[in-house]
Amino acid sequence: AFHFNGGSEQRPKWPLTWILRVAKSAHDFLSNDVQKMLATLGLEDCSAFGFFLRGLTTLGRDKVSRSLTLPLAQSDDAFFLRLVDEAASFDKTVEAVYNYPSFFRASIPWTVWPSCTSALTQKSQIFSRWVKLDSRALERRFNSMLCSDKAWGEVEWLDSRSQVPLRPNCTIVSFSSLFYSLTDRYKPLPSQHRIYLVENIQKPLCEMLVDSIEQRRADLSGGFTPTNWSSYCTLVESLQCTISLLEDSLSDLSFLGEVEPTASSDVEKFMLSSKSTLCRTYDGVLISLRDVLQAMLSDATTTVERTFKHLTRGYSSWLRDFDRGGFEADVSSHFGGALGWVSGFLDIARLKVGLKTFDALSRAVSRTLERLLMGILSGLKEHVTLKVSHQICRDFSAVVAVITGAGGSSNPDTRFIKLGEVIKVLGLSDSQVRSLLTCLDAVDEDQTADLNFEAMLATHGIYQANLSEVKLGLKSRMRA
């Protein structure tokens, strides 16, 4: 009577705590003794404790409903939010301790299993006020996160759901915690209200995160030094974590929560409709995040291209001087600095991002470098003697070794197959080049000679490079 007929209006936690105590004291008796009695009567599908807890939760929900009509709740936002927090805390506790309502909803789907927070959806005015206050509180909390000195600092973090070790920044960890807490907070609600909250609270939260990442990216991408490249990599990893988080939320059908009792086909239609609504809600956010991720990878490859070109400038002139009497080296002086820079660039990335992100980055860098090296080869105007050809092979092979040695893929050697085969063409002896050129002339005159030419290439370990790429290597040697 004290808890449910007045006396505890100022203490919304008290009646809900009392319900949890009653549930705990009755659990063993109902789950064992009473359940056995029901089984002897052929009612084993009926959960004695489940229906008892359902009744207690209904009592708690009605208490919350009455408390929401109190003058204090209507005039004091802080007290109103306290009621919301206590109701959400109760629902979270019974779910964690007794799997209510998820277990009972799955095993006894023909019954509606209420929650305390569903009291907030019974009147549109109360529900609208909740959305408004939650939205304001969320925006304040998010802005507070961004103002922290450690907002963009790296943190070691084990994702509690995927159990994968990650290296995002503090903002993303806080965002993840906030996002999951909102998901748990809204999960007990009826589906249409929860989807409304997703669209009007969780989606704006994601959009605020996209804007903050864009701003952070702009702050860091002015020019990469080892320090800001490290921070940039942490931001890229954070972005990948956020994308995975949202994709996991969409794939988690339990997020749809309670489905009203109906025919199984209608349940399927409802689930698909709700899933479609959630997909539409997050589609724009995910597209924005993926676009930012691709733009950041593009920033990185643009930096690689610009720096590599700068450090290897004058390579053609160096090759000409080398052919006139230079000493052979494992790697030319023009490639040594570029290789060291690329190696350091990838080393930082490998330490700062996860395997999935690093794989995407290293593949993008591989494509950029392969294009640059093929461009260097096609731009050679001087005769490429066997001596020069061997030096080019050593230089180009060193680039390939740096990338493949950086890892990031189950089979990184596959990234430079075509360039590797062009390098093989450059390394052929004069007699081998003449034989291939003779066969190549026949291919130009007789299409049936294709098979003979392919067979000759295969004897030199060349399988993937196309005709134009093979010609590029042969023409370089042909000038000599």
Side-chain angles (χ1 to χ4, degrees), residues 315 335 339 372-377 380 391-401 416 419 422-423 426:
Y315 183 59
F335 266 64
L339 288 176
L372 289 176
L373 295 178
M374 296 292 276
I376 289 173
L377 188 58
L380 290 176
Q391 185 61 53
I392 293 174
C393 289
R394 285 192 291 271
D395 291 339
F396 284 17
S397 296
V399 176
V400 174
F416 288 102
L419 178 63
V422 172
I423 291 173
L426 287 173

Side-chain angles (χ1 to χ4, degrees), residues 270-288:
F270 172 82
M271 296 284 274
L272 290 173
S273 173
S274 299
K275 178 80 168 175
S276 176
T277 302
L278 288 175
C279 286
R280 286 196 303 273
T281 298
Y282 283 123
D283 266 349
V285 175
L286 281 169
I287 289 172
S288 297

Side-chain angles (χ1 to χ4, degrees), residues 30 46 128 148-149 196 198 204 220 246 313 324 395 405 450:
L30 292 172
C46 180
S128 298
S148 168
D149 293 338
Y196 182 86
V198 167
L220 291 173
L246 295 181
R313 67 191 184 283
R324 292 171 180 171
D395 291 339
D450 276 351

